[in-house]
Amino acid sequence: MSKKRSSEEIQESGNILLDNVLEKIRVAYQDIKIIKTSEEHQKDRGVDFQIELIDKSNERTLEMFKLQVKATDEPVTALKTTENKGLISFQIDNRHIRYYQKEMPWALLFLLCENANQKVYWYAIQLDSSLERRLNQSIAQNKRSMQIFLDPKNVLEESSFNTFVNDAKKSNVAQFFRDSEQLVTTISADVDFKVDRSKPLLDQLYSLFEYLFGELLYLPKHLITQYYPFKISEFQSSFYHQFKLYTNNEELVTMIDSFKVQSDGNIDFTEPAFIRDVDEYEKKAKIIFERFSNNHIYSIIAEKSRREVPTRYFKKRKCNCIVCCYSRLEIPKVLKMLQNSRAQSLEDRMKMAYMNYMFGNYLQAAKAFEEIGVVAKKKKKETLNLITQFNLIKLGRLIRSNYYSHEELELGKKMMEINLDKAVYFAPSNSHHRKLFNYIKESRFYTDSVYEVQSAISKLRSEYQSYINGAQFVTHSYEQLLTGFAKMSSFIGGNMIIYDRFAEFSMQMTEFTEGLFIALALRETNSNVISNFNNYHIKTLIFDGDHKVIWRYFNKYHLKSISYVESDGEFFSLIANLLSNHHVVCNVYKSYPDERKDFLHERYAEIFANCFCLAAIVNMDEKQVEKIVIGIMHCFTKEDLPNFEVYVQVNNFFNLKRRQLSDEMLKKLIIFFLECRGTYREKPLELFAEELKLRNISISLSTSQYQKLFNFALGDNGELMENFNVLCSFYAISEETFKLRVKRKIEEQLNKKFDPYHYNYAVIWGVLPFEKSDLLNRFIEATYPDPSHVSFGASFYGPQANPYPKFDMLFNLCFKFELSASAITKKKMVGFGDYYDWLLDLNGFDYNKFKVSWLILNPTKFFFQYYAKSPKLKEIIEDYLQNNRDIQVERLYFDIYSKKNNNLNA
């Protein structure tokens, strides 16, 4: 009897079945791209995949929608007796139905994969008008799930694909209007608070803000614009769009225009009528401007006259609360405050709890939020209480994922079961609090912004394709991206809501990062995008970004460096704080319990790596580079860096900034890294030695320093060859007596134990000869292909990878010395594949067999110099580029035929 398959195995078969069906559809519809992307981060919400349909002719997105995919091994059968006779019945969670219809802003289609008969059925769940009634009945009966009914005629295949897509389009329209209706309900009349219109207008606006911002620093914009004096009647609207608030209240715009903010933060009041009979009018005006700016309302516009008045107000003041210390990267202060918490006010206790969460101490954060919730409820701070309960639910998930004892897992489970519906239910109907509670409970701060971010990034990608194809256009997509992301991140962080450690936020951060770099790539042709980083960009990428993602898009969009423009130079202060305080941070860590150290260390290391990733790509003058380098040296003398990834980013900084260092500083750095006992010294020593070589400058070391170099490169016993490359890199910049010593030692070691990689490196650096070397025959034997041993890369990635990477080293050295393979060996060189036959005869090769991807297999300067000699190859590449828009090959063409390719790696 066969063993019954697990649900995971059944689901995997269903996913494979869907992939097979989509592949058949791709064959039938070759004018569009069908891109299926995993939505792993939304599985708990019942979303499995995203489908994007793209027009191949112009790379424009035609349609985008989500899928939930379920699978069964049992043959599905239609109902025969119920009122749903003829339909297929399937059970689904109530919470998923509620999310699909009530909360998510995208179209979603439900798919059922019948593995037995290899069929995929679809159901447009958002178009079923009976679901809401049945869902309410199911919830009222305390049921967790209910039946949905699929039409067996809706089988996904080539012939039904248009109908399938049309259902997705209709669902998109339905969700748009459903979302709009919910928003109208959410922002309906301000019945719970009335502004006293008999008071001066300044007092009216101030009293409204006192009410709205009583418990929160950031609010959703629609909860601000629904009130008088922004909305002066039920029949006139006020709204927010891309950092601007629009109103029909001309008097309000006139009043704000009369408040002239000065550079020192003071305000000149040019119209006495607006401040007459107002107590503490300057204090009130400043608070109003601060509320505007904190909520990303940077100007207010009169709809009728189109007059626009700025509302920016960012007054510099030193605050030593834990959140502000964290934002300045004064990490020792933060950790000491977390250890010695004496916070009294609810606001300070919220900040302390939130910082515990930020540094991964989820149990302590949970305890603190639970205590704050009790106090907030007693003090009738209902919004604050709701946020603590929301945070506890999220912390429950994090505790379940990061702790392992039974007691901790049970605590996490209990926290995840907290029900927020009661808090919403008891808030007065149609009140500000009811609307705000729903907004938080349903995570609309995320769902409202995510559509804005995703549509903006989709437009930016299409605009970038247009840009590289030579089109001229004006874009406002970056402003849309920034607005959507800023609203979400500020509401989360400013109100201390736990959300930014989850995959949903990370996905938006990744898309924001990509959009940022696309905008920078478009800066030459568009004035509506950014031309440099500012403090907002820098701090967002440091605290919420990922250095790997930053490098991915920096390289993908072919940026060389990025300007940073801020009068206060805050970025450089952040770097200085990080470096000067590192040893203090390490000492504080040592006093933490072992079970908390990993969490704290991980967050700190992420910030450190992000900071130096940005330092590497940001433009700075020689003085600033040298200042940071000195800070790194002082840091290294006291403590090791947090982890390997941080060393990688510091080395990236050294690599991209070394040309700005003086000769003397390069020499100082070399001696410093020889003398210090820290780890990961190989790369900086190599980089600085290579830079001196490019400048034709030698370095004089003492006998003890030379000995340290030998010990570092070869091990204390002189036999290990662990950092062989460093020894070779010093050869070109050293005195003659040292060169002879290096050469003898390398030859001695290679004769004892030959290593083709070490020999290759020694020849590249000029330590050993090539053609007349006694070791050449051993190198040829070691690199000559053995067809029975193909490289892992070739077997894993396919034929486009180098089949014999060691053989490539032989070709590279032949090209360096302008020798043919036949000049150094009588071994047969042909017959190891079209790629190597092409390398042997660029002009005589049959180019019907040529693959343009071969050009990127070995992007060394010696390969490129060899390619540049072939007129036939140049003709082939130019012909390819006339018919294909390929950024990578365009870049290669420039590198091959540019006279400046000496900067490429050997």
Side-chain angles (χ1 to χ4, degrees), residues 260-269 282-283 285-287 289-290 312-317:
K260 305 296 184 184
V261 178
Q262 306 303 303
S263 58
D264 61 0
N266 291 319
I267 299 176
D268 284 348
F269 296 88
E282 185 167 15
K283 174 188 171 184
K286 286 180 179 179
I287 289 173
F289 274 111
E290 284 180 351
R312 281 180 177 270
Y313 184 83
F314 294 105
K315 187 176 179 182
K316 294 287 183 182
R317 54 176 176 261

PDB file of all heavy atoms in Angstrom, residues 260-269 282-283 285-287 289-290 312-317:
ATOM      1  N   LYS A 260       6.316  83.677   7.975  1.00  0.00           N
ATOM      2  CA  LYS A 260       7.578  83.519   7.238  1.00  0.00           C
ATOM      3  C   LYS A 260       8.640  82.882   8.142  1.00  0.00           C
ATOM      4  O   LYS A 260       9.123  83.499   9.090  1.00  0.00           O
ATOM      5  CB  LYS A 260       8.078  84.872   6.730  1.00  0.00           C
ATOM      6  CG  LYS A 260       7.070  85.645   5.885  1.00  0.00           C
ATOM      7  CD  LYS A 260       6.732  84.897   4.596  1.00  0.00           C
ATOM      8  CE  LYS A 260       5.792  85.731   3.724  1.00  0.00           C
ATOM      9  NZ  LYS A 260       5.372  85.003   2.499  1.00  0.00           N
ATOM     10  N   VAL A 261       8.984  81.638   7.819  1.00  0.00           N
ATOM     11  CA  VAL A 261       9.982  80.917   8.612  1.00  0.00           C
ATOM     12  C   VAL A 261      11.380  81.395   8.227  1.00  0.00           C
ATOM     13  O   VAL A 261      11.747  81.411   7.053  1.00  0.00           O
ATOM     14  CB  VAL A 261       9.878  79.389   8.376  1.00  0.00           C
ATOM     15  CG1 VAL A 261      10.961  78.645   9.160  1.00  0.00           C
ATOM     16  CG2 VAL A 261       8.494  78.895   8.773  1.00  0.00           C
ATOM     17  N   GLN A 262      12.175  81.782   9.230  1.00  0.00           N
ATOM     18  CA  GLN A 262      13.529  82.273   9.006  1.00  0.00           C
ATOM     19  C   GLN A 262      14.549  81.142   9.149  1.00  0.00           C
ATOM     20  O   GLN A 262      14.244  80.069   9.681  1.00  0.00           O
ATOM     21  CB  GLN A 262      13.846  83.402   9.994  1.00  0.00           C
ATOM     22  CG  GLN A 262      12.839  84.539   9.978  1.00  0.00           C
ATOM     23  CD  GLN A 262      12.688  85.165   8.601  1.00  0.00           C
ATOM     24  OE1 GLN A 262      13.663  85.624   8.014  1.00  0.00           O
ATOM     25  NE2 GLN A 262      11.458  85.194   8.087  1.00  0.00           N
ATOM     26  N   SER A 263      15.762  81.396   8.690  1.00  0.00           N
ATOM     27  CA  SER A 263      16.810  80.369   8.714  1.00  0.00           C
ATOM     28  C   SER A 263      17.172  79.935  10.132  1.00  0.00           C
ATOM     29  O   SER A 263      17.644  78.818  10.352  1.00  0.00           O
ATOM     30  CB  SER A 263      18.053  80.870   7.983  1.00  0.00           C
ATOM     31  OG  SER A 263      18.531  82.068   8.586  1.00  0.00           O
ATOM     32  N   ASP A 264      16.958  80.828  11.124  1.00  0.00           N
ATOM     33  CA  ASP A 264      17.294  80.476  12.505  1.00  0.00           C
ATOM     34  C   ASP A 264      16.147  79.768  13.224  1.00  0.00           C
ATOM     35  O   ASP A 264      16.237  79.478  14.427  1.00  0.00           O
ATOM     36  CB  ASP A 264      17.694  81.731  13.293  1.00  0.00           C
ATOM     37  CG  ASP A 264      16.564  82.772  13.360  1.00  0.00           C
ATOM     38  OD1 ASP A 264      15.477  82.513  12.800  1.00  0.00           O
ATOM     39  OD2 ASP A 264      16.783  83.837  13.975  1.00  0.00           O
ATOM     40  N   GLY A 265      15.045  79.484  12.498  1.00  0.00           N
ATOM     41  CA  GLY A 265      13.914  78.774  13.083  1.00  0.00           C
ATOM     42  C   GLY A 265      12.841  79.683  13.637  1.00  0.00           C
ATOM     43  O   GLY A 265      11.749  79.217  13.999  1.00  0.00           O
ATOM     44  N   ASN A 266      13.104  80.973  13.735  1.00  0.00           N
ATOM     45  CA  ASN A 266      12.074  81.905  14.193  1.00  0.00           C
ATOM     46  C   ASN A 266      11.099  82.226  13.060  1.00  0.00           C
ATOM     47  O   ASN A 266      11.379  81.951  11.885  1.00  0.00           O
ATOM     48  CB  ASN A 266      12.722  83.187  14.719  1.00  0.00           C
ATOM     49  CG  ASN A 266      13.477  82.946  16.015  1.00  0.00           C
ATOM     50  OD1 ASN A 266      13.006  82.213  16.885  1.00  0.00           O
ATOM     51  ND2 ASN A 266      14.671  83.544  16.127  1.00  0.00           N
ATOM     52  N   ILE A 267       9.950  82.810  13.422  1.00  0.00           N
ATOM     53  CA  ILE A 267       8.906  83.101  12.432  1.00  0.00           C
ATOM     54  C   ILE A 267       8.571  84.593  12.466  1.00  0.00           C
ATOM     55  O   ILE A 267       8.359  85.168  13.542  1.00  0.00           O
ATOM     56  CB  ILE A 267       7.638  82.271  12.703  1.00  0.00           C
ATOM     57  CG1 ILE A 267       7.956  80.768  12.604  1.00  0.00           C
ATOM     58  CG2 ILE A 267       6.527  82.643  11.728  1.00  0.00           C
ATOM     59  CD1 ILE A 267       6.779  79.865  12.955  1.00  0.00           C
ATOM     60  N   ASP A 268       8.542  85.189  11.279  1.00  0.00           N
ATOM     61  CA  ASP A 268       8.071  86.571  11.143  1.00  0.00           C
ATOM     62  C   ASP A 268       6.589  86.541  10.783  1.00  0.00           C
ATOM     63  O   ASP A 268       6.195  85.822   9.851  1.00  0.00           O
ATOM     64  CB  ASP A 268       8.853  87.307  10.056  1.00  0.00           C
ATOM     65  CG  ASP A 268      10.242  87.707  10.517  1.00  0.00           C
ATOM     66  OD1 ASP A 268      10.502  87.623  11.728  1.00  0.00           O
ATOM     67  OD2 ASP A 268      11.061  88.087   9.653  1.00  0.00           O
ATOM     68  N   PHE A 269       5.779  87.294  11.500  1.00  0.00           N
ATOM     69  CA  PHE A 269       4.335  87.314  11.254  1.00  0.00           C
ATOM     70  C   PHE A 269       4.016  88.609  10.509  1.00  0.00           C
ATOM     71  O   PHE A 269       4.027  89.699  11.075  1.00  0.00           O
ATOM     72  CB  PHE A 269       3.578  87.223  12.576  1.00  0.00           C
ATOM     73  CG  PHE A 269       3.824  85.926  13.300  1.00  0.00           C
ATOM     74  CD1 PHE A 269       4.890  85.794  14.182  1.00  0.00           C
ATOM     75  CD2 PHE A 269       3.012  84.820  13.065  1.00  0.00           C
ATOM     76  CE1 PHE A 269       5.124  84.598  14.837  1.00  0.00           C
ATOM     77  CE2 PHE A 269       3.244  83.613  13.714  1.00  0.00           C
ATOM     78  CZ  PHE A 269       4.300  83.506  14.597  1.00  0.00           C
ATOM     79  N   GLU A 282       3.510  82.476  18.506  1.00  0.00           N
ATOM     80  CA  GLU A 282       4.706  81.928  17.851  1.00  0.00           C
ATOM     81  C   GLU A 282       4.910  80.451  18.209  1.00  0.00           C
ATOM     82  O   GLU A 282       5.221  79.628  17.344  1.00  0.00           O
ATOM     83  CB  GLU A 282       5.958  82.726  18.221  1.00  0.00           C
ATOM     84  CG  GLU A 282       7.198  82.236  17.442  1.00  0.00           C
ATOM     85  CD  GLU A 282       8.374  83.185  17.542  1.00  0.00           C
ATOM     86  OE1 GLU A 282       8.367  84.074  18.419  1.00  0.00           O
ATOM     87  OE2 GLU A 282       9.304  83.026  16.736  1.00  0.00           O
ATOM     88  N   LYS A 283       4.707  80.108  19.458  1.00  0.00           N
ATOM     89  CA  LYS A 283       4.823  78.710  19.888  1.00  0.00           C
ATOM     90  C   LYS A 283       3.823  77.836  19.126  1.00  0.00           C
ATOM     91  O   LYS A 283       4.161  76.750  18.637  1.00  0.00           O
ATOM     92  CB  LYS A 283       4.566  78.626  21.397  1.00  0.00           C
ATOM     93  CG  LYS A 283       4.510  77.199  21.923  1.00  0.00           C
ATOM     94  CD  LYS A 283       4.059  77.191  23.382  1.00  0.00           C
ATOM     95  CE  LYS A 283       3.779  75.760  23.835  1.00  0.00           C
ATOM     96  NZ  LYS A 283       3.249  75.727  25.226  1.00  0.00           N
ATOM     97  N   ALA A 285       2.351  78.470  16.211  1.00  0.00           N
ATOM     98  CA  ALA A 285       2.698  78.414  14.788  1.00  0.00           C
ATOM     99  C   ALA A 285       3.833  77.417  14.546  1.00  0.00           C
ATOM    100  O   ALA A 285       3.808  76.639  13.579  1.00  0.00           O
ATOM    101  CB  ALA A 285       3.090  79.801  14.282  1.00  0.00           C
ATOM    102  N   LYS A 286       4.830  77.422  15.439  1.00  0.00           N
ATOM    103  CA  LYS A 286       5.948  76.477  15.284  1.00  0.00           C
ATOM    104  C   LYS A 286       5.478  75.032  15.422  1.00  0.00           C
ATOM    105  O   LYS A 286       5.907  74.153  14.666  1.00  0.00           O
ATOM    106  CB  LYS A 286       7.038  76.779  16.319  1.00  0.00           C
ATOM    107  CG  LYS A 286       7.845  78.027  16.018  1.00  0.00           C
ATOM    108  CD  LYS A 286       8.901  78.275  17.090  1.00  0.00           C
ATOM    109  CE  LYS A 286       9.732  79.516  16.774  1.00  0.00           C
ATOM    110  NZ  LYS A 286      10.757  79.776  17.823  1.00  0.00           N
ATOM    111  N   ILE A 287       4.590  74.785  16.386  1.00  0.00           N
ATOM    112  CA  ILE A 287       4.071  73.419  16.568  1.00  0.00           C
ATOM    113  C   ILE A 287       3.305  72.972  15.323  1.00  0.00           C
ATOM    114  O   ILE A 287       3.435  71.835  14.869  1.00  0.00           O
ATOM    115  CB  ILE A 287       3.181  73.349  17.827  1.00  0.00           C
ATOM    116  CG1 ILE A 287       4.064  73.470  19.083  1.00  0.00           C
ATOM    117  CG2 ILE A 287       2.372  72.059  17.854  1.00  0.00           C
ATOM    118  CD1 ILE A 287       3.283  73.590  20.381  1.00  0.00           C
ATOM    119  N   PHE A 289       3.737  74.044  12.189  1.00  0.00           N
ATOM    120  CA  PHE A 289       4.704  73.780  11.131  1.00  0.00           C
ATOM    121  C   PHE A 289       5.447  72.460  11.372  1.00  0.00           C
ATOM    122  O   PHE A 289       5.720  71.707  10.434  1.00  0.00           O
ATOM    123  CB  PHE A 289       5.704  74.935  11.019  1.00  0.00           C
ATOM    124  CG  PHE A 289       5.238  76.060  10.142  1.00  0.00           C
ATOM    125  CD1 PHE A 289       4.905  77.298  10.683  1.00  0.00           C
ATOM    126  CD2 PHE A 289       5.127  75.887   8.773  1.00  0.00           C
ATOM    127  CE1 PHE A 289       4.470  78.339   9.875  1.00  0.00           C
ATOM    128  CE2 PHE A 289       4.701  76.922   7.949  1.00  0.00           C
ATOM    129  CZ  PHE A 289       4.371  78.154   8.496  1.00  0.00           C
ATOM    130  N   GLU A 290       5.781  72.176  12.621  1.00  0.00           N
ATOM    131  CA  GLU A 290       6.453  70.914  12.938  1.00  0.00           C
ATOM    132  C   GLU A 290       5.559  69.725  12.605  1.00  0.00           C
ATOM    133  O   GLU A 290       6.023  68.713  12.078  1.00  0.00           O
ATOM    134  CB  GLU A 290       6.845  70.882  14.418  1.00  0.00           C
ATOM    135  CG  GLU A 290       8.066  71.730  14.741  1.00  0.00           C
ATOM    136  CD  GLU A 290       8.423  71.683  16.217  1.00  0.00           C
ATOM    137  OE1 GLU A 290       7.639  71.133  17.009  1.00  0.00           O
ATOM    138  OE2 GLU A 290       9.491  72.210  16.584  1.00  0.00           O
ATOM    139  N   ARG A 312       7.597  73.670   5.258  1.00  0.00           N
ATOM    140  CA  ARG A 312       8.753  72.961   5.845  1.00  0.00           C
ATOM    141  C   ARG A 312       9.250  73.699   7.089  1.00  0.00           C
ATOM    142  O   ARG A 312       9.390  74.913   7.083  1.00  0.00           O
ATOM    143  CB  ARG A 312       9.898  72.873   4.840  1.00  0.00           C
ATOM    144  CG  ARG A 312       9.720  71.788   3.788  1.00  0.00           C
ATOM    145  CD  ARG A 312      10.910  71.794   2.847  1.00  0.00           C
ATOM    146  NE  ARG A 312      10.830  70.743   1.857  1.00  0.00           N
ATOM    147  CZ  ARG A 312      11.337  69.515   2.017  1.00  0.00           C
ATOM    148  NH1 ARG A 312      11.967  69.219   3.137  1.00  0.00           N
ATOM    149  NH2 ARG A 312      11.235  68.628   1.072  1.00  0.00           N
ATOM    150  N   TYR A 313       9.550  72.898   8.113  1.00  0.00           N
ATOM    151  CA  TYR A 313      10.101  73.487   9.342  1.00  0.00           C
ATOM    152  C   TYR A 313      10.846  72.384  10.091  1.00  0.00           C
ATOM    153  O   TYR A 313      10.243  71.549  10.758  1.00  0.00           O
ATOM    154  CB  TYR A 313       8.989  74.060  10.213  1.00  0.00           C
ATOM    155  CG  TYR A 313       9.496  74.782  11.454  1.00  0.00           C
ATOM    156  CD1 TYR A 313       9.910  76.111  11.380  1.00  0.00           C
ATOM    157  CD2 TYR A 313       9.540  74.133  12.689  1.00  0.00           C
ATOM    158  CE1 TYR A 313      10.374  76.782  12.512  1.00  0.00           C
ATOM    159  CE2 TYR A 313       9.992  74.801  13.821  1.00  0.00           C
ATOM    160  CZ  TYR A 313      10.420  76.121  13.729  1.00  0.00           C
ATOM    161  OH  TYR A 313      10.874  76.781  14.845  1.00  0.00           O
ATOM    162  N   PHE A 314      12.162  72.369   9.938  1.00  0.00           N
ATOM    163  CA  PHE A 314      12.987  71.382  10.638  1.00  0.00           C
ATOM    164  C   PHE A 314      14.000  72.144  11.494  1.00  0.00           C
ATOM    165  O   PHE A 314      15.034  72.584  11.005  1.00  0.00           O
ATOM    166  CB  PHE A 314      13.717  70.466   9.655  1.00  0.00           C
ATOM    167  CG  PHE A 314      12.798  69.585   8.871  1.00  0.00           C
ATOM    168  CD1 PHE A 314      12.522  69.855   7.537  1.00  0.00           C
ATOM    169  CD2 PHE A 314      12.186  68.491   9.462  1.00  0.00           C
ATOM    170  CE1 PHE A 314      11.676  69.047   6.807  1.00  0.00           C
ATOM    171  CE2 PHE A 314      11.337  67.674   8.740  1.00  0.00           C
ATOM    172  CZ  PHE A 314      11.069  67.948   7.406  1.00  0.00           C
ATOM    173  N   LYS A 315      13.652  72.306  12.749  1.00  0.00           N
ATOM    174  CA  LYS A 315      14.537  73.044  13.640  1.00  0.00           C
ATOM    175  C   LYS A 315      15.547  72.089  14.260  1.00  0.00           C
ATOM    176  O   LYS A 315      15.174  71.054  14.829  1.00  0.00           O
ATOM    177  CB  LYS A 315      13.732  73.741  14.739  1.00  0.00           C
ATOM    178  CG  LYS A 315      14.581  74.661  15.603  1.00  0.00           C
ATOM    179  CD  LYS A 315      13.729  75.406  16.614  1.00  0.00           C
ATOM    180  CE  LYS A 315      14.592  76.309  17.477  1.00  0.00           C
ATOM    181  NZ  LYS A 315      13.798  77.015  18.494  1.00  0.00           N
ATOM    182  N   LYS A 316      16.822  72.427  14.134  1.00  0.00           N
ATOM    183  CA  LYS A 316      17.883  71.617  14.705  1.00  0.00           C
ATOM    184  C   LYS A 316      17.944  71.823  16.209  1.00  0.00           C
ATOM    185  O   LYS A 316      18.096  72.936  16.685  1.00  0.00           O
ATOM    186  CB  LYS A 316      19.237  71.980  14.080  1.00  0.00           C
ATOM    187  CG  LYS A 316      19.352  71.651  12.604  1.00  0.00           C
ATOM    188  CD  LYS A 316      19.473  70.155  12.389  1.00  0.00           C
ATOM    189  CE  LYS A 316      19.653  69.823  10.911  1.00  0.00           C
ATOM    190  NZ  LYS A 316      19.719  68.378  10.667  1.00  0.00           N
ATOM    191  N   ARG A 317      17.780  70.745  16.947  1.00  0.00           N
ATOM    192  CA  ARG A 317      17.962  70.834  18.395  1.00  0.00           C
ATOM    193  C   ARG A 317      18.473  69.488  18.893  1.00  0.00           C
ATOM    194  O   ARG A 317      18.081  68.439  18.386  1.00  0.00           O
ATOM    195  CB  ARG A 317      16.672  71.230  19.099  1.00  0.00           C
ATOM    196  CG  ARG A 317      15.469  70.360  18.783  1.00  0.00           C
ATOM    197  CD  ARG A 317      14.282  70.803  19.636  1.00  0.00           C
ATOM    198  NE  ARG A 317      13.091  70.062  19.298  1.00  0.00           N
ATOM    199  CZ  ARG A 317      12.139  70.532  18.499  1.00  0.00           C
ATOM    200  NH1 ARG A 317      12.268  71.731  17.961  1.00  0.00           N
ATOM    201  NH2 ARG A 317      11.065  69.810  18.236  1.00  0.00           N
TER     202      ARG A 317
END
